[in-house]
Amino acid sequence: RQTYVNHRTIVVDDGSTDGSEALLQGLNEIEHVRQKNGGPSAARNNGMRHAKGDFVAFLDSDDTWAPAFVATLLDILDAEPDAGFVFANWRGVDAAGCETYPNYMAAHPYYSETGAEQRGDWWVLNHQQSRALFLRHSACK
């Protein structure tokens, strides 16, 4: 339900047993890729192998995007031609729809500690700041 309509949707089913395959049957606009359970990284890598566009955005099964999310990301990439990637702030919402935290990045000061510039609801990091943030907080340590 994105306002940006020139996109391709690939669903990588990572060995689920929740009926995802049946749910996707008949949705011709969605490419369904099934794989043996390998975890999020394997699923993302498999999705990348099937991708054909200039940009890729990941959406996990427990997340939702606002309708203009993709359009906004592409607008930012157009405005920042030197950007290698963009990512967005997020808010936590539990299963009942109650907000658990309103602003993830504000709750984690390491974004501003990088020297990132806040533009409205967005943080803009150059490639050195992005690299420093990734190396400092990566789960791959």
Side-chain angles (χ1 to χ4, degrees), residues 66-88:
F69 182 76
V70 172
T72 302
L73 292 179
L74 291 171
D75 287 346
I76 290 170
L77 285 169
D78 283 343
E80 301 288 338
D82 293 332
F85 69 95
V86 294
F87 62 97

Side-chain angles (χ1 to χ4, degrees), residues 43-92:
R44 288 186 173 128
N45 288 334
N46 197 359
M48 291 289 292
R49 282 190 286 279
H50 287 82
K52 294 179 174 44
D54 293 329
F55 301 101
V56 175
F58 297 109
L59 178 66
D60 293 332
S61 63
D62 61 343
D63 296 331
T64 58
W65 287 341
F69 182 76
V70 172
T72 302
L73 292 179
L74 291 171
D75 287 346
I76 290 170
L77 285 169
D78 283 343
E80 301 288 338
D82 293 332
F85 69 95
V86 294
F87 62 97
N89 198 355
W90 59 94
R91 63 188 181 96

Side-chain angles (χ1 to χ4, degrees), residues 2-132:
Q2 292 295 300
T3 58
Y4 182 81
V5 295
N6 186 21
H7 68 275
R8 182 167 174 238
T9 302
I10 302 166
V11 174
V12 179
D13 184 340
D14 188 38
S16 69
T17 58
D18 63 0
S20 297
E21 190 166 9
L23 181 68
L24 294 169
Q25 286 181 352
L27 298 176
N28 297 328
E29 68 277 9
I30 296 176
E31 180 178 347
H32 179 225
V33 177
R34 185 157 174 82
Q35 70 179 33
K36 184 173 129 185
N37 181 262
S41 295
R44 288 186 173 128
N45 288 334
N46 197 359
M48 291 289 292
R49 282 190 286 279
H50 287 82
K52 294 179 174 44
D54 293 329
F55 301 101
V56 175
F58 297 109
L59 178 66
D60 293 332
S61 63
D62 61 343
D63 296 331
T64 58
W65 287 341
F69 182 76
V70 172
T72 302
L73 292 179
L74 291 171
D75 287 346
I76 290 170
L77 285 169
D78 283 343
E80 301 288 338
D82 293 332
F85 69 95
V86 294
F87 62 97
N89 198 355
W90 59 94
R91 63 188 181 96
V93 179
D94 66 19
C98 298
E99 197 165 72
T100 57
Y101 52 87
N103 184 332
Y104 183 86
M105 289 183 179
H108 296 83
Y110 47 79
Y111 291 99
S112 59
E113 290 170 1
T114 65
E117 177 186 346
Q118 188 171 7
R119 296 185 195 166
D121 292 335
W122 295 84
W123 289 91
V124 179
L125 293 82
N126 64 32
H127 67 279
Q128 293 97 346
Q129 294 163 333
S130 297
R131 184 175 191 279

